PDB file of all heavy atoms in Angstrom:
ATOM      1  N   TRP J   2    -131.885 -49.958 105.764  1.00 98.00           N
ATOM      2  CA  TRP J   2    -132.675 -49.441 104.650  1.00 98.00           C
ATOM      3  C   TRP J   2    -133.916 -48.749 105.195  1.00 98.00           C
ATOM      4  O   TRP J   2    -134.582 -49.277 106.103  1.00 98.00           O
ATOM      5  CB  TRP J   2    -133.130 -50.573 103.730  1.00 98.00           C
ATOM      6  CG  TRP J   2    -132.098 -51.090 102.778  1.00 98.00           C
ATOM      7  CD1 TRP J   2    -130.763 -50.840 102.779  1.00 98.00           C
ATOM      8  CD2 TRP J   2    -132.346 -51.984 101.685  1.00 98.00           C
ATOM      9  NE1 TRP J   2    -130.155 -51.515 101.757  1.00 98.00           N
ATOM     10  CE2 TRP J   2    -131.100 -52.227 101.066  1.00 98.00           C
ATOM     11  CE3 TRP J   2    -133.487 -52.600 101.188  1.00 98.00           C
ATOM     12  CZ2 TRP J   2    -130.973 -53.058  99.956  1.00 98.00           C
ATOM     13  CZ3 TRP J   2    -133.361 -53.432 100.091  1.00 98.00           C
ATOM     14  CH2 TRP J   2    -132.128 -53.651  99.468  1.00 98.00           C
ATOM     15  N   LEU J   3    -134.234 -47.605 104.630  1.00 98.00           N
ATOM     16  CA  LEU J   3    -135.443 -46.864 104.976  1.00 98.00           C
ATOM     17  C   LEU J   3    -136.084 -46.319 103.708  1.00 98.00           C
ATOM     18  O   LEU J   3    -135.388 -46.016 102.730  1.00 98.00           O
ATOM     19  CB  LEU J   3    -135.111 -45.686 105.904  1.00 98.00           C
ATOM     20  CG  LEU J   3    -134.511 -46.019 107.274  1.00 98.00           C
ATOM     21  CD1 LEU J   3    -134.007 -44.750 107.946  1.00 98.00           C
ATOM     22  CD2 LEU J   3    -135.534 -46.730 108.152  1.00 98.00           C
ATOM     23  N   ASP J   4    -137.401 -46.170 103.738  1.00 98.00           N
ATOM     24  CA  ASP J   4    -138.112 -45.452 102.677  1.00 98.00           C
ATOM     25  C   ASP J   4    -138.467 -44.065 103.191  1.00 98.00           C
ATOM     26  O   ASP J   4    -139.162 -43.924 104.212  1.00 98.00           O
ATOM     27  CB  ASP J   4    -139.392 -46.201 102.279  1.00 98.00           C
ATOM     28  CG  ASP J   4    -139.137 -47.274 101.236  1.00 98.00           C
ATOM     29  OD1 ASP J   4    -137.993 -47.377 100.743  1.00 98.00           O
ATOM     30  OD2 ASP J   4    -140.080 -48.040 100.927  1.00 98.00           O
ATOM     31  N   LEU J   5    -137.987 -43.052 102.494  1.00 98.00           N
ATOM     32  CA  LEU J   5    -138.281 -41.658 102.812  1.00 98.00           C
ATOM     33  C   LEU J   5    -139.340 -41.159 101.838  1.00 98.00           C
ATOM     34  O   LEU J   5    -139.122 -41.165 100.623  1.00 98.00           O
ATOM     35  CB  LEU J   5    -137.003 -40.820 102.683  1.00 98.00           C
ATOM     36  CG  LEU J   5    -137.140 -39.304 102.766  1.00 98.00           C
ATOM     37  CD1 LEU J   5    -137.615 -38.876 104.153  1.00 98.00           C
ATOM     38  CD2 LEU J   5    -135.811 -38.630 102.414  1.00 98.00           C
ATOM     39  N   THR J   6    -140.490 -40.772 102.355  1.00 98.00           N
ATOM     40  CA  THR J   6    -141.587 -40.285 101.515  1.00 98.00           C
ATOM     41  C   THR J   6    -141.813 -38.800 101.795  1.00 98.00           C
ATOM     42  O   THR J   6    -142.067 -38.405 102.937  1.00 98.00           O
ATOM     43  CB  THR J   6    -142.891 -41.062 101.787  1.00 98.00           C
ATOM     44  OG1 THR J   6    -142.658 -42.463 101.543  1.00 98.00           O
ATOM     45  CG2 THR J   6    -144.014 -40.570 100.880  1.00 98.00           C
ATOM     46  N   VAL J   7    -141.715 -38.005 100.736  1.00 98.00           N
ATOM     47  CA  VAL J   7    -141.903 -36.559 100.828  1.00 98.00           C
ATOM     48  C   VAL J   7    -143.203 -36.203 100.122  1.00 98.00           C
ATOM     49  O   VAL J   7    -143.452 -36.629  98.983  1.00 98.00           O
ATOM     50  CB  VAL J   7    -140.715 -35.807 100.196  1.00 98.00           C
ATOM     51  CG1 VAL J   7    -140.933 -34.303 100.267  1.00 98.00           C
ATOM     52  CG2 VAL J   7    -139.415 -36.198 100.902  1.00 98.00           C
ATOM     53  N   HIS J   8    -144.041 -35.436 100.779  1.00 97.00           N
ATOM     54  CA  HIS J   8    -145.373 -35.128 100.263  1.00 97.00           C
ATOM     55  C   HIS J   8    -145.378 -33.803  99.503  1.00 97.00           C
ATOM     56  O   HIS J   8    -144.668 -32.856  99.861  1.00 97.00           O
ATOM     57  CB  HIS J   8    -146.368 -35.072 101.420  1.00 97.00           C
ATOM     58  CG  HIS J   8    -146.402 -36.330 102.224  1.00 97.00           C
ATOM     59  ND1 HIS J   8    -147.073 -37.458 101.819  1.00 97.00           N
ATOM     60  CD2 HIS J   8    -145.810 -36.648 103.416  1.00 97.00           C
ATOM     61  CE1 HIS J   8    -146.906 -38.414 102.724  1.00 97.00           C
ATOM     62  NE2 HIS J   8    -146.147 -37.943 103.700  1.00 97.00           N
ATOM     63  N   GLY J   9    -146.199 -33.765  98.475  1.00 95.00           N
ATOM     64  CA  GLY J   9    -146.397 -32.537  97.709  1.00 95.00           C
ATOM     65  C   GLY J   9    -147.878 -32.264  97.539  1.00 95.00           C
ATOM     66  O   GLY J   9    -148.704 -32.762  98.307  1.00 95.00           O
ATOM     67  N   ARG J  10    -148.226 -31.469  96.528  1.00 94.00           N
ATOM     68  CA  ARG J  10    -149.626 -31.185  96.215  1.00 94.00           C
ATOM     69  C   ARG J  10    -149.838 -31.465  94.738  1.00 94.00           C
ATOM     70  O   ARG J  10    -149.302 -30.773  93.870  1.00 94.00           O
ATOM     71  CB  ARG J  10    -149.962 -29.721  96.518  1.00 94.00           C
ATOM     72  CG  ARG J  10    -151.420 -29.357  96.201  1.00 94.00           C
ATOM     73  CD  ARG J  10    -151.656 -27.871  96.391  1.00 94.00           C
ATOM     74  NE  ARG J  10    -151.530 -27.501  97.794  1.00 94.00           N
ATOM     75  CZ  ARG J  10    -151.159 -26.287  98.216  1.00 94.00           C
ATOM     76  NH1 ARG J  10    -150.837 -25.352  97.325  1.00 94.00           N
ATOM     77  NH2 ARG J  10    -151.088 -26.017  99.498  1.00 94.00           N
ATOM     78  N   ALA J  11    -150.591 -32.524  94.438  1.00 93.00           N
ATOM     79  CA  ALA J  11    -150.814 -32.905  93.050  1.00 93.00           C
ATOM     80  C   ALA J  11    -151.564 -31.817  92.305  1.00 93.00           C
ATOM     81  O   ALA J  11    -152.522 -31.227  92.838  1.00 93.00           O
ATOM     82  CB  ALA J  11    -151.595 -34.221  92.993  1.00 93.00           C
ATOM     83  N   ALA J  12    -151.138 -31.560  91.083  1.00 93.00           N
ATOM     84  CA  ALA J  12    -151.770 -30.493  90.297  1.00 93.00           C
ATOM     85  C   ALA J  12    -151.318 -30.599  88.850  1.00 93.00           C
ATOM     86  O   ALA J  12    -150.398 -31.355  88.511  1.00 93.00           O
ATOM     87  CB  ALA J  12    -151.390 -29.123  90.871  1.00 93.00           C
ATOM     88  N   HIS J  13    -151.963 -29.828  87.978  1.00 95.00           N
ATOM     89  CA  HIS J  13    -151.536 -29.690  86.602  1.00 95.00           C
ATOM     90  C   HIS J  13    -150.203 -28.936  86.588  1.00 95.00           C
ATOM     91  O   HIS J  13    -149.968 -28.022  87.394  1.00 95.00           O
ATOM     92  CB  HIS J  13    -152.598 -28.914  85.807  1.00 95.00           C
ATOM     93  CG  HIS J  13    -152.400 -28.991  84.328  1.00 95.00           C
ATOM     94  ND1 HIS J  13    -151.383 -28.347  83.663  1.00 95.00           N
ATOM     95  CD2 HIS J  13    -153.135 -29.621  83.365  1.00 95.00           C
ATOM     96  CE1 HIS J  13    -151.463 -28.580  82.370  1.00 95.00           C
ATOM     97  NE2 HIS J  13    -152.544 -29.358  82.158  1.00 95.00           N
ATOM     98  N   ALA J  14    -149.337 -29.296  85.666  1.00 93.00           N
ATOM     99  CA  ALA J  14    -148.041 -28.623  85.586  1.00 93.00           C
ATOM    100  C   ALA J  14    -148.190 -27.138  85.303  1.00 93.00           C
ATOM    101  O   ALA J  14    -147.287 -26.347  85.611  1.00 93.00           O
ATOM    102  CB  ALA J  14    -147.181 -29.280  84.514  1.00 93.00           C
ATOM    103  N   GLU J  15    -149.329 -26.730  84.750  1.00 93.00           N
ATOM    104  CA  GLU J  15    -149.584 -25.311  84.484  1.00 93.00           C
ATOM    105  C   GLU J  15    -149.512 -24.472  85.753  1.00 93.00           C
ATOM    106  O   GLU J  15    -149.138 -23.304  85.718  1.00 93.00           O
ATOM    107  CB  GLU J  15    -150.971 -25.181  83.833  1.00 93.00           C
ATOM    108  CG  GLU J  15    -151.474 -23.751  83.637  1.00 93.00           C
ATOM    109  CD  GLU J  15    -152.161 -23.202  84.878  1.00 93.00           C
ATOM    110  OE1 GLU J  15    -152.685 -24.024  85.681  1.00 93.00           O
ATOM    111  OE2 GLU J  15    -152.139 -21.957  85.050  1.00 93.00           O
ATOM    112  N   SER J  16    -149.846 -25.120  86.892  1.00 91.00           N
ATOM    113  CA  SER J  16    -149.852 -24.389  88.159  1.00 91.00           C
ATOM    114  C   SER J  16    -148.644 -24.708  89.021  1.00 91.00           C
ATOM    115  O   SER J  16    -148.674 -24.551  90.241  1.00 91.00           O
ATOM    116  CB  SER J  16    -151.136 -24.692  88.927  1.00 91.00           C
ATOM    117  OG  SER J  16    -151.206 -26.080  89.241  1.00 91.00           O
ATOM    118  N   ALA J  17    -147.554 -25.165  88.403  1.00 88.00           N
ATOM    119  CA  ALA J  17    -146.377 -25.572  89.167  1.00 88.00           C
ATOM    120  C   ALA J  17    -145.846 -24.457  90.049  1.00 88.00           C
ATOM    121  O   ALA J  17    -145.367 -24.701  91.161  1.00 88.00           O
ATOM    122  CB  ALA J  17    -145.277 -26.055  88.215  1.00 88.00           C
ATOM    123  N   ASP J  18    -145.946 -23.212  89.576  1.00 89.00           N
ATOM    124  CA  ASP J  18    -145.417 -22.102  90.370  1.00 89.00           C
ATOM    125  C   ASP J  18    -146.278 -21.808  91.592  1.00 89.00           C
ATOM    126  O   ASP J  18    -145.853 -21.082  92.497  1.00 89.00           O
ATOM    127  CB  ASP J  18    -145.305 -20.849  89.508  1.00 89.00           C
ATOM    128  CG  ASP J  18    -146.648 -20.423  88.942  1.00 89.00           C
ATOM    129  OD1 ASP J  18    -147.403 -21.304  88.474  1.00 89.00           O
ATOM    130  OD2 ASP J  18    -146.949 -19.220  88.986  1.00 89.00           O
ATOM    131  N   ARG J  19    -147.492 -22.373  91.635  1.00 89.00           N
ATOM    132  CA  ARG J  19    -148.404 -22.112  92.743  1.00 89.00           C
ATOM    133  C   ARG J  19    -148.674 -23.369  93.579  1.00 89.00           C
ATOM    134  O   ARG J  19    -149.576 -23.369  94.406  1.00 89.00           O
ATOM    135  CB  ARG J  19    -149.735 -21.564  92.198  1.00 89.00           C
ATOM    136  CG  ARG J  19    -149.546 -20.325  91.322  1.00 89.00           C
ATOM    137  CD  ARG J  19    -150.861 -19.762  90.825  1.00 89.00           C
ATOM    138  NE  ARG J  19    -151.617 -20.663  89.982  1.00 89.00           N
ATOM    139  CZ  ARG J  19    -151.368 -20.858  88.684  1.00 89.00           C
ATOM    140  NH1 ARG J  19    -150.360 -20.226  88.096  1.00 89.00           N
ATOM    141  NH2 ARG J  19    -152.120 -21.679  87.980  1.00 89.00           N
ATOM    142  N   SER J  20    -147.908 -24.417  93.326  1.00 90.00           N
ATOM    143  CA  SER J  20    -148.108 -25.675  94.046  1.00 90.00           C
ATOM    144  C   SER J  20    -146.780 -26.126  94.655  1.00 90.00           C
ATOM    145  O   SER J  20    -145.827 -25.348  94.725  1.00 90.00           O
ATOM    146  CB  SER J  20    -148.681 -26.735  93.104  1.00 90.00           C
ATOM    147  OG  SER J  20    -149.131 -27.853  93.814  1.00 90.00           O
ATOM    148  N   VAL J  21    -146.739 -27.364  95.110  1.00 92.00           N
ATOM    149  CA  VAL J  21    -145.537 -27.905  95.756  1.00 92.00           C
ATOM    150  C   VAL J  21    -145.178 -29.232  95.082  1.00 92.00           C
ATOM    151  O   VAL J  21    -145.962 -30.190  95.135  1.00 92.00           O
ATOM    152  CB  VAL J  21    -145.758 -28.130  97.265  1.00 92.00           C
ATOM    153  CG1 VAL J  21    -144.507 -28.748  97.890  1.00 92.00           C
ATOM    154  CG2 VAL J  21    -146.110 -26.828  97.958  1.00 92.00           C
ATOM    155  N   ASN J  22    -144.002 -29.244  94.482  1.00 95.00           N
ATOM    156  CA  ASN J  22    -143.526 -30.465  93.832  1.00 95.00           C
ATOM    157  C   ASN J  22    -142.684 -31.255  94.836  1.00 95.00           C
ATOM    158  O   ASN J  22    -141.661 -30.766  95.310  1.00 95.00           O
ATOM    159  CB  ASN J  22    -142.689 -30.120  92.606  1.00 95.00           C
ATOM    160  CG  ASN J  22    -142.385 -31.347  91.751  1.00 95.00           C
ATOM    161  OD1 ASN J  22    -142.079 -32.397  92.262  1.00 95.00           O
ATOM    162  ND2 ASN J  22    -142.473 -31.168  90.441  1.00 95.00           N
ATOM    163  N   PRO J  23    -143.070 -32.488  95.166  1.00 95.00           N
ATOM    164  CA  PRO J  23    -142.315 -33.257  96.169  1.00 95.00           C
ATOM    165  C   PRO J  23    -140.912 -33.638  95.706  1.00 95.00           C
ATOM    166  O   PRO J  23    -140.041 -33.897  96.544  1.00 95.00           O
ATOM    167  CB  PRO J  23    -143.185 -34.490  96.410  1.00 95.00           C
ATOM    168  CG  PRO J  23    -143.946 -34.663  95.136  1.00 95.00           C
ATOM    169  CD  PRO J  23    -144.213 -33.275  94.647  1.00 95.00           C
ATOM    170  N   VAL J  24    -140.706 -33.677  94.388  1.00 96.00           N
ATOM    171  CA  VAL J  24    -139.354 -33.951  93.890  1.00 96.00           C
ATOM    172  C   VAL J  24    -138.430 -32.794  94.269  1.00 96.00           C
ATOM    173  O   VAL J  24    -137.314 -32.997  94.768  1.00 96.00           O
ATOM    174  CB  VAL J  24    -139.360 -34.176  92.371  1.00 96.00           C
ATOM    175  CG1 VAL J  24    -137.943 -34.367  91.845  1.00 96.00           C
ATOM    176  CG2 VAL J  24    -140.220 -35.395  92.009  1.00 96.00           C
ATOM    177  N   ASP J  25    -138.904 -31.570  94.037  1.00 95.00           N
ATOM    178  CA  ASP J  25    -138.117 -30.403  94.443  1.00 95.00           C
ATOM    179  C   ASP J  25    -137.872 -30.416  95.945  1.00 95.00           C
ATOM    180  O   ASP J  25    -136.762 -30.121  96.419  1.00 95.00           O
ATOM    181  CB  ASP J  25    -138.845 -29.110  94.066  1.00 95.00           C
ATOM    182  CG  ASP J  25    -138.937 -28.902  92.562  1.00 95.00           C
ATOM    183  OD1 ASP J  25    -138.191 -29.588  91.825  1.00 95.00           O
ATOM    184  OD2 ASP J  25    -139.742 -28.061  92.128  1.00 95.00           O
ATOM    185  N   ALA J  26    -138.894 -30.759  96.708  1.00 95.00           N
ATOM    186  CA  ALA J  26    -138.753 -30.777  98.168  1.00 95.00           C
ATOM    187  C   ALA J  26    -137.737 -31.836  98.607  1.00 95.00           C
ATOM    188  O   ALA J  26    -136.944 -31.604  99.538  1.00 95.00           O
ATOM    189  CB  ALA J  26    -140.112 -31.040  98.817  1.00 95.00           C
ATOM    190  N   THR J  27    -137.741 -32.979  97.928  1.00 96.00           N
ATOM    191  CA  THR J  27    -136.772 -34.028  98.247  1.00 96.00           C
ATOM    192  C   THR J  27    -135.351 -33.544  98.002  1.00 96.00           C
ATOM    193  O   THR J  27    -134.445 -33.771  98.826  1.00 96.00           O
ATOM    194  CB  THR J  27    -137.059 -35.283  97.416  1.00 96.00           C
ATOM    195  OG1 THR J  27    -138.380 -35.758  97.705  1.00 96.00           O
ATOM    196  CG2 THR J  27    -136.059 -36.384  97.718  1.00 96.00           C
ATOM    197  N   LEU J  28    -135.139 -32.882  96.873  1.00 95.00           N
ATOM    198  CA  LEU J  28    -133.806 -32.352  96.578  1.00 95.00           C
ATOM    199  C   LEU J  28    -133.360 -31.352  97.644  1.00 95.00           C
ATOM    200  O   LEU J  28    -132.167 -31.251  97.950  1.00 95.00           O
ATOM    201  CB  LEU J  28    -133.795 -31.700  95.195  1.00 95.00           C
ATOM    202  CG  LEU J  28    -134.047 -32.651  94.014  1.00 95.00           C
ATOM    203  CD1 LEU J  28    -134.097 -31.858  92.706  1.00 95.00           C
ATOM    204  CD2 LEU J  28    -132.961 -33.720  93.943  1.00 95.00           C
ATOM    205  N   GLY J  29    -134.316 -30.660  98.218  1.00 95.00           N
ATOM    206  CA  GLY J  29    -133.986 -29.714  99.267  1.00 95.00           C
ATOM    207  C   GLY J  29    -133.480 -30.363 100.539  1.00 95.00           C
ATOM    208  O   GLY J  29    -132.855 -29.693 101.381  1.00 95.00           O
ATOM    209  N   LEU J  30    -133.723 -31.671 100.693  1.00 97.00           N
ATOM    210  CA  LEU J  30    -133.245 -32.395 101.869  1.00 97.00           C
ATOM    211  C   LEU J  30    -131.832 -32.940 101.703  1.00 97.00           C
ATOM    212  O   LEU J  30    -131.219 -33.403 102.675  1.00 97.00           O
ATOM    213  CB  LEU J  30    -134.189 -33.558 102.185  1.00 97.00           C
ATOM    214  CG  LEU J  30    -135.614 -33.176 102.599  1.00 97.00           C
ATOM    215  CD1 LEU J  30    -136.466 -34.442 102.723  1.00 97.00           C
ATOM    216  CD2 LEU J  30    -135.620 -32.402 103.911  1.00 97.00           C
ATOM    217  N   LEU J  31    -131.292 -32.878 100.483  1.00 97.00           N
ATOM    218  CA  LEU J  31    -129.984 -33.474 100.225  1.00 97.00           C
ATOM    219  C   LEU J  31    -128.865 -32.891 101.089  1.00 97.00           C
ATOM    220  O   LEU J  31    -128.019 -33.652 101.594  1.00 97.00           O
ATOM    221  CB  LEU J  31    -129.617 -33.352  98.741  1.00 97.00           C
ATOM    222  CG  LEU J  31    -130.253 -34.392  97.812  1.00 97.00           C
ATOM    223  CD1 LEU J  31    -129.879 -34.112  96.367  1.00 97.00           C
ATOM    224  CD2 LEU J  31    -129.828 -35.797  98.203  1.00 97.00           C
ATOM    225  N   PRO J  32    -128.798 -31.580 101.284  1.00 97.00           N
ATOM    226  CA  PRO J  32    -127.722 -31.073 102.153  1.00 97.00           C
ATOM    227  C   PRO J  32    -127.761 -31.678 103.554  1.00 97.00           C
ATOM    228  O   PRO J  32    -126.707 -31.991 104.131  1.00 97.00           O
ATOM    229  CB  PRO J  32    -127.984 -29.561 102.175  1.00 97.00           C
ATOM    230  CG  PRO J  32    -128.674 -29.277 100.881  1.00 97.00           C
ATOM    231  CD  PRO J  32    -129.551 -30.477 100.652  1.00 97.00           C
ATOM    232  N   ALA J  33    -128.952 -31.864 104.105  1.00 98.00           N
ATOM    233  CA  ALA J  33    -129.052 -32.461 105.434  1.00 98.00           C
ATOM    234  C   ALA J  33    -128.590 -33.912 105.416  1.00 98.00           C
ATOM    235  O   ALA J  33    -127.936 -34.383 106.363  1.00 98.00           O
ATOM    236  CB  ALA J  33    -130.489 -32.368 105.940  1.00 98.00           C
TER     237      ALA J  33
END
């Protein structure tokens, strides 16, 4: 068992297009 922690940049959802959502980044690791 391991805990994988992916970091993002906390922000208002209004600026989602200009920030980094760690959930999206985590999904990007699924192919690997």
